[in-house]
Amino acid sequence: MRLLVVGAGSMGRWFGRTVDADLAFADANPDAAVAAADELGGRAVPLDGDEQFDVVCLAVPMDLAAEAVEANAHRAERGMCDVTGSMSKPVAAMREHLPDRERLSLHPLFAPVNAPGNVACVVDESGPLGDALLDDVSAAGNTVFETTPEEHDTAMETVQAAAHAAVLSFGLAADDVRAEFTTPISAALDELVSAVTSGNPRVYADIQSSFGDGTDRVADAARDLAMADDETFADLYRRVAHRDDETDNHEPAE
């Protein structure tokens, strides 16, 4: 399989490393494409070239996904996939610009350094090349599960936008305190803050822009807690405690 990966960052390199293909990389930064090709045994090609490949994989920022589909559709002889992290917009763009070719959207739900893990998958138009790519992703130890663009993007409002907003909000609100005052919960939150802030702020900004309803819900929930009287606070607490049909017999965690 002749595979072009558009986007030579960490996710593009993860995909190139994971699948079995003759690799080429293109990137807005030509040096990044060269570095990825040297690392993984492929070659670098111009971002605006016309050379065609069996499959084109888009590993670009989420806000550029639909644009990248249109710009690279002519280079994909048999199919296109993306690992951009959103699904509704790239899948819609692939349907428009590649109506007669294989179409696949993947979202690895982890940073590449934490691979393997869960990979959300939309097989919008199946075929042998997409099947081969999915087999390679699974063979690398990942758990691939099918979803829809709508289900995926709605879930990302919670598991990405809301989660990141809650963690970063704690980081912004927290004061420096002596280590002796640390509790199990505050220590866990400190670890989460460190994990989130060790990444690329552009990635997290893209998530907030794409799935911002989750962030708004976190802000609304924090406001409700801040304004609640004792009885209302207890009701809100119980609502969370019973979310998964748990009992109300929780002991204090600290």
Side-chain angles (χ1 to χ4, degrees), residues 120-211:
C121 169
V122 169
V123 182
D124 198 53
E125 184 62 44
S126 63
L129 296 181
D131 290 346
L133 293 174
L134 290 176
D135 287 344
D136 289 342
V137 172
S138 295
N142 299 287
T143 300
V144 179
F145 67 96
E146 291 197 33
T147 183
T148 65
E150 297 76 19
E151 181 186 40
H152 169 272
D153 288 1
T154 298
M156 291 308 104
E157 293 176 6
T158 292
V159 303
Q160 286 196 322
H164 300 162
V167 171
L168 289 171
S169 294
F170 171 78
L172 291 169
D175 288 330
D176 289 333
V177 297
R178 284 168 41 188
E180 293 90 340
F181 287 115
T182 299
T183 70
I185 289 178
S186 72
L189 285 169
D190 285 336
E191 289 184 7
L192 290 172
V193 170
S194 295
V196 170
T197 55
S198 65
N200 184 336
R202 167 69 186 273
V203 173
Y204 289 93
D206 285 346
I207 289 169
Q208 297 302 321
S209 296
S210 299
F211 309 119

Side-chain angles (χ1 to χ4, degrees), residues 41-66:
R43 59 192 177 93
V45 298
L47 182 63
D48 58 355
D50 291 321
E51 181 182 358
Q52 291 188 309
F53 299 82
D54 294 321
V55 176
V56 173
C57 176
L58 304 176
V60 301
M62 280 186 281
D63 59 343
L64 301 178

